[in-house]
Amino acid sequence: MTAPPGAVAPGPRRRAAAWLGALDELLGRRVVFRSFARLRMLCGPITLWHLWPFLAGSLDGRTYRNAYWRPYASWLPEVPTPLYLVALWLGAGAAVAMTVGWRAQAATRVAACVVAGNLLVSSTHFHNNRAYLALVLAALAIGPCDRRDAVGPAWPLWLLRFEASCVYLGSGLSKLLDADWFAGTVTWQRVVQVRGLVEASPLPGPVVELLVDPGFHTVAAKAIIATEWFIGLGLWWPRTRRKAIAVAIAFHLAIWVSAEVQVFSALGIAALVIWARPQRAPQRPGDQRAVIGT
Amino acid sequence: MDPRRRVLARRVVVVAVVVAQLGFLVRGYHSPHRELGWQMFPESTEWQAEVVRVLDDGRRVPVGEPWPGGYTWATLVRGSGLSYPDQRQHADAGLAAVLDDLEHALAWVAANTPADTETRRLDAVVRTWRNDASPGPEVRLTSPERR
């Protein structure tokens, strides 16, 4: 295509302004946060499940400070034990309120603070699934999640989609770059290490034989990496989204039955609701018309 | 808030989160605990450690044996994945994370067992096995001297 006679090619500043305008439109586009309301309801029980070991410990008079713990930074203030215990139980109450929808936005903010705080008081509390839960709750706390018809600018949804995508892509990239992972050595050795459990499981003999065969893992490792990449990228495009969601559900269920990952699989499946196409809300006067699909 | 400031604030928050997350992804390749690096099931490495109390007279007493003050290693490090170091076990979050935690746990235990008046420091000799189960380097860790 050629430019019309007399047309001036846009300069870098004009192009940058156009990009910024498009970005602002994307972030500020007003949408209905139905998926956040659904995710909030699902995250209530997941938050309670996550907090339960800490709550059970507190009933026995134990907190993280009764055993080895470590602050992330020496300058972080120590949380007094009574305050920590009150916060834990407040978080549990907030998780119940999130589920039933009572003062849902405030409850979600309390739950987000408690889960994040509990993660930050000691580095021994860190697990990927807990960090992901904290991020999901933070996004819900920012975006409107109290009503199915709540309307707001789309940026919290975009951020949560970005984080969700990073979970799969980060995992897939690290496996791709690790020679042992790519060759299948890691998965093969993990099965070998729990061979007794695999043989005692209800799996048929030929399946057990296949699982302990290193040749199978040279293929399976690449399939796992491809699966993570497909989910992480496929969720972004409407044409591949449904398939990516189906693959993600199967992937999380497989992890759930084969590994101890605390709340990760339940959270991973629940968080897929954010990929439902959000309904456009009426734009405020002066807002640009949307040009980019979601 | 003024609409222009609102737009600017939104931009700053989103860009900050995206840049921070990308930074954490990169940091995950050289940080022992890989926080927000999203490296799931990173290794099949295994480890086993002999953890001992080094007494004033130089004797080395395994932490599984009776301890002045009634302490037990498993209780002192409960919840950290280090409770049974004498058993060969998978390094769930990677070997670097285990070694980092064990080193800090030795220091914490040394500093938080006031009824034990005979221990000068704690030592650990960690045997490791790589992803392919071949023996890895032996790692020696030690706590600070207690006095």
Side-chain angles (χ1 to χ4, degrees):
Chain A
M1 187 191 276
T2 55
V8 179
R13 288 185 68 172
R14 194 173 287 188
R15 273 201 299 271
W19 273 101
L20 267 182
L23 177 71
D24 289 336
E25 189 284 321
L26 198 65
L27 301 179
R29 182 185 304 166
R30 292 169 63 75
V31 295
V32 180
F33 275 77
R34 185 166 297 156
S35 65
F36 268 36
R38 286 183 179 143
L39 183 55
R40 182 255 303 159
M41 282 192 287
L42 295 170
C43 279
I46 293 171
T47 302
L48 206 53
W49 176 8
H50 155 69
L51 290 175
W52 180 247
F54 302 99
L55 297 168
S58 77
L59 291 175
D60 293 338
R62 283 186 286 110
T63 71
Y64 66 98
R65 295 176 66 138
N66 295 121
Y68 160 58
W69 70 283
R70 179 156 59 116
Y72 280 94
S74 56
W75 49 264
L76 283 173
E78 289 187 12
V79 181
T81 300
L83 178 63
Y84 174 75
L85 291 175
V86 168
L88 270 187
W89 285 96
L90 203 60
V96 174
M98 283 171 66
T99 310
V100 300
W102 185 74
R103 307 222 177 225
Q105 193 70 51
T108 306
R109 287 177 179 154
V110 170
C113 289
V114 171
V115 170
N118 190 40
L119 194 67
L120 292 172
V121 291
S122 173
S123 66
T124 55
H125 285 181
F126 182 83
H127 289 287
N128 283 317
N129 74 92
R130 293 173 180 174
Y132 190 29
L133 178 61
L135 290 173
V136 169
L137 290 175
L140 292 178
I142 295 167
C145 67
D146 52 341
R147 299 185 327 271
R148 294 182 66 186
D149 57 354
V151 171
W155 66 272
L157 176 64
W158 286 113
L159 273 186
L160 187 51
R161 284 182 171 188
F162 170 74
E163 286 294 342
S165 182
C166 278
V167 171
Y168 299 105
L169 293 176
S171 185
L173 180 65
S174 67
K175 292 175 174 69
L176 186 68
L177 297 177
D178 186 319
D180 284 343
W181 234 106
F182 192 75
T185 309
V186 171
T187 53
W188 174 56
Q189 272 303 315
R190 281 300 292 138
V191 175
V192 169
Q193 287 161 9
V194 294
R195 185 173 186 149
L197 288 174
V198 176
E199 287 174 342
S201 73
L203 290 171
V207 175
V208 173
E209 287 297 312
L210 186 68
L211 287 175
V212 296
D213 179 359
F216 167 72
H217 288 273
T218 60
V219 178
K222 293 161 186 69
I224 291 169
I225 294 167
T227 301
E228 291 188 328
W229 277 92
F230 176 68
I231 297 169
L233 293 174
L235 287 168
W236 284 103
W237 282 275
R239 289 183 70 175
T240 52
R241 189 170 292 161
R242 280 174 185 271
K243 285 181 185 145
I245 287 172
V247 170
I249 290 171
F251 188 63
H252 283 298
L253 289 175
I255 292 172
W256 204 336
V257 298
S258 62
E260 291 179 20
V261 288
Q262 298 177 345
V263 303
F264 181 67
S265 289
L267 179 62
I269 292 172
L272 292 169
V273 300
I274 62 171
W275 298 97
R277 194 184 185 112
Q279 190 184 337
R280 292 281 183 86
Q283 307 298 297
R284 283 176 168 158
D287 285 356
Q288 294 176 33
R289 291 303 303 165
V291 290
I292 301 171
T294 52
Chain B
M1 192 194 281
D2 168 17
R4 284 185 62 182
R5 284 193 179 180
R6 192 171 55 224
V7 168
L8 195 65
R10 193 184 288 154
R11 255 188 230 165
V12 169
V13 170
V14 170
V15 170
V17 171
V18 170
V19 169
Q21 176 57 80
L22 294 176
F24 278 116
L25 286 173
V26 173
R27 179 179 171 270
Y29 289 89
H30 52 82
S31 157
H33 293 279
R34 307 176 164 107
E35 293 95 344
L36 302 181
W38 308 122
Q39 298 189 20
M40 318 296 193
F41 312 108
E43 302 168 17
S44 55
T45 48
E46 292 180 292
W47 67 281
Q48 181 183 39
E50 184 195 8
V51 183
V52 297
R53 294 187 295 118
V54 181
L55 309 189
D56 286 333
D57 60 10
R59 279 186 296 144
R60 299 169 67 83
V61 182
V63 289
E65 292 188 10
W67 198 326
Y71 301 113
T72 62
W73 173 263
T75 309
L76 288 165
V77 299
R78 180 175 41 210
S80 64
L82 304 169
S83 294
Y84 305 101
D86 53 337
Q87 295 174 7
R88 179 169 165 168
Q89 56 198 285
H90 175 228
D92 290 336
L95 190 57
V98 170
L99 296 176
D100 184 60
D101 259 341
L102 184 54
E103 185 170 24
H104 284 91
L106 293 176
W108 188 90
V109 169
N112 289 277
T113 45
D116 172 7
T117 55
E118 65 178 30
T119 300
R120 198 168 72 214
R121 66 168 196 274
L122 288 108
D123 281 359
V125 179
V126 190
R127 297 177 66 199
T128 64
W129 289 268
R130 295 189 179 93
N131 285 331
D132 61 358
S134 64
E138 194 173 84
V139 181
R140 290 173 185 274
L141 303 171
T142 190
S143 74
E145 297 278 331
R146 294 183 71 201
R147 56 185 177 273

